[in-house]
Each structure stands twice: as structure tokens, then as C-alpha cells.
Amino acid sequence: MTVWVDALGFHLEFETDEGLFSPRGLDRGTRAMLEQTRILPGMRVLDLGCGWGAVGVLAAKIAGEENVVMADCDPLAVEIARENARRNGVAGVRVYQSEGFSGIPEAGFDSILSNPPYQTDFQVAKGFILKGFNRLKLGGEMTLVVKRRNWYANKLASVFGGVTVREADGYFVMTAQRRSVCYAAKPR
């Protein structure tokens, strides 16, 4: 099915599929995250858990397609995200099928953006946070949008040494900056 997304000053067309998250359009949580995120030209951005690719495509329109990586564990999501990048004029983004970071060969990101699967247990999110820390360059930021505040805020703070939490449209948008080469505390 075809949906239109109006965000970050762009009006873009995407293909989606009933088998993917939020197939009828951009969900409120992702929109809240995008509204709270700073993407600048030249930034290296990772859309982790990209689904049909809205965040990555929008980031590529601003940062440049050569600076954006998208990844998802679902082969259908990867196929559709790749097609949506092409359809929206940013075919140079790299799209990987990856369980967390396992299939992503790149590091040194300025920004990692994710709407993690918070309906599952916290192991997926824990992996995103722990491994994401090491994929960011110093000064880089990880931004997550979630429904549950405490666990995510505590985990981000324990790994990164701090977290900024903003509430938007019933969601929590959390941003943590990598300020050192080592975790702030020994991860549990």
C-alpha cells in the first residue's frame, strides 16, 4: 500500500506492507522522535530497526544519502526500505538486514535513531543501547522513542552517563550522548 509522510519539511511517498510495523503511515512515536531530533547536513545517521524506511529516508534528505545507514532484522522491511530510498531519490543509503548491530559493518555515527520493539522483552533494547554506544563517535547521540520511561532512562544513564528525556504525544523521547570511550558503569 502507498502512504504519504509529511515530516521535517518533506512530503514523501512510501510503499508499506501489512506485515510491517505501522503500515498505514508514520506512527505517533516515530513522529515525536523526528520532531525532537536534530539532523544536519553531513551527519552520519543510523536508522536502527528501520521498518519501511521513513526515518532513514528523511535523514538522507537532510544529511545526504551517502551518510545514512538503515537496518532491520526483517528481510521484507529491508527490501521495502531499499525501494523507498530509491523511490524518494536517496538510493545511495546503505540498507542492511541485521539482528541488532550484527550485520552492520559501520561505526562512527553522529546519530543513532530507533523506535525499538518495546512490546518484547528488554533484551533487544539492551543490545541496541550497549552496542550502540560503541558505534557512536565521541559526541554522537543515541535517540530512542519508547512508551516506558524508567527502564530505558536508567539503562541509557548507566551506559552513557546521562540521558535527556522529553515527553511528546504520550511517548518518551530519550537522547544520550557518548562522552567517553568507556561505559559510564559496568553494564548489567
Side-chain angles (χ1 to χ4, degrees), residues 24-187:
R24 302 205 185 292
L26 196 63
D27 70 291
R28 290 181 13 241
T30 300
R31 184 173 298 284
M33 179 180 68
L34 285 168
E35 290 171 356
Q36 300 287 325
T37 300
R38 179 181 55 113
I39 301 171
L40 300 171
M43 285 179 71
R44 295 203 61 233
V45 179
L46 170 61
D47 176 6
L48 184 59
C50 67
W52 42 270
V55 171
V57 168
L58 286 161
K61 295 298 246 181
I62 297 167
E65 62 190 292
E66 68 281 1
N67 295 313
V68 175
V69 172
M70 300 191 300
D72 202 288
C73 64
D74 184 340
L76 177 62
V78 169
E79 176 186 331
I80 291 175
R82 193 172 282 131
E83 173 57 27
N84 281 328
R86 187 201 59 73
R87 163 188 304 256
N88 286 291
V90 291
V93 300
R94 285 152 331 278
V95 186
Y96 300 108
Q97 183 177 343
S98 179
E99 193 73 41
F101 287 90
S102 66
I104 304 170
E106 301 173 46
F109 293 103
D110 294 293
S111 180
I112 297 174
L113 304 171
S114 187
N115 184 347
Y118 45 81
Q119 271 69 18
T120 62
D121 68 42
F122 290 108
Q123 289 299 21
V124 172
K126 181 178 179 182
F128 280 16
I129 293 166
L130 292 173
K131 294 187 181 347
F133 177 91
N134 292 316
R135 297 298 182 103
L136 289 166
K137 70 179 194 178
L138 283 176
E141 295 180 336
M142 173 174 268
T143 301
L144 305 177
V145 60
V146 298
K147 284 292 245 180
R148 297 179 183 178
R149 177 186 179 125
N150 292 342
W151 185 90
Y152 288 93
N154 291 337
K155 179 52 74 179
L156 284 163
S158 74
V159 171
F160 285 85
V163 62
T164 301
V165 179
R166 296 175 302 277
E167 192 168 353
D169 199 18
Y171 290 84
F172 299 103
V173 179
M174 302 188 178
T175 302
Q177 183 180 56
R178 182 175 182 180
R179 296 183 216 141
S180 70
V181 295
C182 300
Y183 294 135
K186 183 172 171 64

